[in-house]
Amino acid sequence: MQANLIFPSSYSLILSMDSSAKFLLLSLLISFSLSHAQTPSKSSLKPKALVLPITKDSSTLQYLTRLNLGTPLVLKNLVVDLGGQHLWIDCDTDYHSLTYRPGHCGSATCSQAKAFCVSICLNPPGPNCNNNSCIVDAQNSVFGAGTTAHVSLDTISFQSTDGSKAGPPVSFSNFIFGCAHNFSLTSLASGANGMIGLGKERLAFPSQLSSLFGGSLRRKFAICLPSTSKSNGVLFLGDSPYQFYPGYNTSKAIDVSSRLTYTKLHTNYKRTATPRLQGAQVPEYFVKITSILVNRKPIPINTTLLDFHRTGIGGSRITTVKPYTILESSIYDSLVKAFDTEIATWKVKKVAAVEPFRDCYSKGNLAMSPLGLAVPDITFVFENKDVSWDMYGANSMVEISNDVVCLGFLRGVTEIWTTTSIDIGAYQLQDNLVQFDLAASRMAFTNTLLLEEVECSNFNF
């Protein structure tokens, strides 16, 4: 489907008209838009990159983005799920669009969505209930459960970018998403309309956009999470420079892509009891960590926990829906023992735990640096030994009060549904630009941008 520029201000002319005139003008606008889509300018057809803002919800610690959907365009707030399968929204609440279409049983759309058919709608007809329609999962990975969503198509719009600033808005029709019920929003941040999935699925956001733009938009994206709810981070889609300005000079541009280091992305599977019953591939992003260092010293780890097993157990995952990194219990205990040994030489005392953290410290003797509190470094080393992720105080310590700080990692509890040994959570991703190249099956990261006096909020929207 061709892409074209859309001008939402055109709809403001409608507000003062009577209902018949509104309908006529909207029909003319839609007709013009569809006909114009056949012969747009090349610049509007083939953007190399798109950009979306990311905000942090201070109450839930979830990360949200926003984009426009439907005709007229309506802003939707979506929780970012790095490993999610697709975009789904609540269609119970005031979803009205002149360009909405349901996915019908047997259609190519339903086939792409790997959906199953529902012949009869038992509820009042609407975007989330249609006869002869198809249904997919609406996975709420925050709540840890899923419901169903009707496969739907509509117009979507967001901004292009040259990597240095947000550019003109770009739209296209026939974007495929899931229409769910409002109870699917359980545990999501206040004001969220659904979730946006960035995982390794055909209809997840990166792959679907690449397909709809005819390949000019590469199957690649980069995410930069803000460390505060008072400013925006950024999500880049496609191939782009990543230009931020340092805090000391808003007119200076720094392309942080020169800081990227790369490691392989691994495939993992749904958990099963035995390798002979290997489960389906999961759309999340997995990497192989081979060791962990504290102050450049390796800690003892049972390395079989870091390997991937055909039962779906083991390995390390990158996630935006877990607020903090979760370590398998023995890995966590080893990390804390080494960390306590190092920090004790600075005469820092341990204090009572503060939920959800287990290990907390008196802040009194800790100095502040440009990289956060001056504490022992924590380093994740990947399978290619020269690639490591260094975490300083800004990403390892959580300030609870003026007197207390806690180690920002959680001790995993082994349960029957536990899969990965390490979940690298959102707090550790903040102010790091992390790139996922689906075509090359690799992940890249900058380490903290604070080394350049840059934060994820230093992008020109």
Side-chain angles (χ1 to χ4, degrees):
M1 180 57 64
Q2 307 287 357
N4 57 74
L5 294 181
I6 195 163
F7 302 95
S9 58
S10 302
Y11 295 106
S12 63
L13 298 174
I14 300 171
L15 297 177
S16 61
M17 300 180 179
D18 60 32
S19 58
S20 60
K22 287 179 182 178
F23 181 80
L24 176 60
L25 183 54
L26 278 171
S27 299
L28 289 171
L29 281 169
I30 294 166
S31 176
F32 172 77
S33 178
L34 292 175
S35 63
H36 181 67
Q38 304 307 312
T39 57
S41 67
K42 289 185 178 180
S43 61
S44 66
L45 256 177
K46 297 186 180 295
K48 290 186 177 180
L50 306 169
V51 65
L52 292 170
I54 295 180
T55 58
K56 181 178 182 178
D57 180 72
S58 58
S59 176
T60 62
L61 306 183
Q62 295 166 24
Y63 296 82
L64 296 94
T65 190
R66 54 186 183 271
L67 51 79
N68 288 294
L69 189 66
T71 304
L73 292 170
V74 175
L75 193 66
K76 300 295 181 182
N77 295 302
L78 305 165
V79 173
V80 177
D81 182 1
L82 186 62
Q85 300 178 54
H86 48 71
L87 186 154
W88 62 264
I89 65 168
D90 159 32
C91 289
D92 279 343
T93 309
D94 297 326
Y95 189 85
H96 305 290
S97 172
L98 294 172
T99 46
Y100 163 83
R101 292 191 295 115
H104 291 296
C105 294
S107 66
T109 299
C110 292
S111 176
Q112 290 177 10
K114 302 176 185 177
F116 59 92
C117 184
V118 174
S119 300
I120 299 175
C121 173
L122 300 178
N123 296 312
N128 53 20
C129 193
N130 293 279
N131 291 332
N132 193 36
S133 63
C134 57
I135 286 178
V136 290
D137 289 335
Q139 185 67 32
N140 182 331
S141 51
V142 174
F143 183 60
T147 58
T148 57
H150 280 252
V151 175
S152 306
L153 301 94
D154 212 334
T155 295
I156 195 170
S157 175
F158 30 63
Q159 290 176 292
S160 59
T161 184
D162 62 359
S164 65
K165 61 184 181 303
V170 178
S171 75
F172 55 87
S173 55
N174 288 349
F175 177 79
I176 303 171
F177 65 101
C179 259
H181 294 284
N182 55 14
F183 56 75
S184 299
L185 302 176
T186 302
S187 298
L188 298 190
S190 176
N193 303 111
M195 301 190 76
I196 182 171
L198 304 175
K200 297 187 294 183
E201 285 282 351
R202 188 174 181 181
L203 292 187
F205 215 59
S207 294
Q208 186 177 173
L209 291 183
S210 178
S211 176
L212 287 168
F213 277 97
S216 68
L217 199 75
R218 292 186 60 187
R219 293 175 61 230
K220 177 190 290 187
F221 69 96
I223 190 167
C224 203
L225 298 181
S227 57
T228 172
S229 59
K230 298 178 181 179
S231 56
N232 289 334
V234 60
L235 170 63
F236 298 96
L237 296 142
D239 205 4
S240 174
Y242 307 118
Q243 295 187 8
F244 295 77
Y245 61 85
Y248 59 84
N249 186 350
T250 58
S251 62
K252 179 180 178 179
I254 297 177
D255 185 354
V256 302
S257 60
S258 61
R259 294 186 55 83
L260 291 171
T261 55
Y262 298 84
T263 192
K264 178 183 176 181
L265 286 172
H266 286 259
T267 298
N268 209 353
Y269 303 89
K270 291 184 178 179
R271 179 163 182 171
T272 60
T274 169
R276 296 178 62 186
L277 302 173
Q278 180 174 304
Q281 292 185 14
V282 292
E284 297 162 303
Y285 296 100
F286 296 87
V287 291
K288 186 172 182 181
I289 293 171
T290 56
S291 63
I292 298 176
L293 316 179
V294 174
N295 259 6
R296 311 297 164 178
K297 303 170 187 176
I299 67 172
I301 293 178
N302 177 359
T303 55
T304 61
L305 295 169
L306 304 177
D307 293 332
F308 291 92
H309 304 279
R310 294 178 71 85
T311 55
I313 299 174
S316 303
R317 171 172 50 194
I318 316 292
T319 173
T320 53
V321 296
K322 305 290 186 185
Y324 303 99
T325 292
I326 303 173
L327 303 173
E328 184 273 339
S329 57
S330 68
I331 298 175
Y332 178 90
D333 293 344
S334 184
L335 174 71
V336 170
K337 183 177 180 180
F339 188 85
D340 284 352
T341 298
E342 294 295 323
I343 205 170
T345 63
W346 303 349
K347 302 190 184 306
V348 174
K349 296 180 180 179
K350 296 199 77 167
V351 297
V354 179
E355 289 291 337
F357 308 109
R358 292 171 58 97
D359 292 275
C360 300
Y361 307 83
S362 172
K363 187 180 174 183
N365 289 336
L366 295 175
M368 183 61 71
S369 78
L371 305 179
L373 286 171
V375 295
D377 305 340
I378 296 173
T379 302
F380 289 168
V381 180
F382 295 92
E383 57 191 313
N384 30 344
K385 303 295 184 183
D386 58 335
V387 176
S388 60
W389 191 326
D390 298 322
M391 297 179 187
Y392 305 98
N395 293 107
S396 65
M397 306 303 291
V398 179
E399 296 192 47
I400 304 300
S401 68
N402 291 333
D403 302 316
V404 175
V405 295
C406 295
L407 188 63
F409 295 77
L410 303 182
R411 188 178 191 268
V413 178
T414 302
E415 302 284 359
I416 58 171
W417 54 81
T418 301
T419 55
T420 49
S421 297
I422 300 176
D423 275 337
I424 302 179
Y427 192 81
Q428 280 64 45
L429 301 179
Q430 290 178 166
D431 290 324
N432 289 256
L433 184 120
V434 187
Q435 181 197 79
F436 297 87
D437 188 335
L438 281 72
S441 191
R442 66 181 185 178
M443 182 190 82
F445 56 93
T446 58
N447 274 309
T448 179
L449 296 177
L450 300 178
L451 290 165
E452 301 274 7
E453 297 187 57
V454 167
E455 298 179 4
C456 287
S457 57
N458 297 153
F459 177 80
N460 285 316
F461 274 101

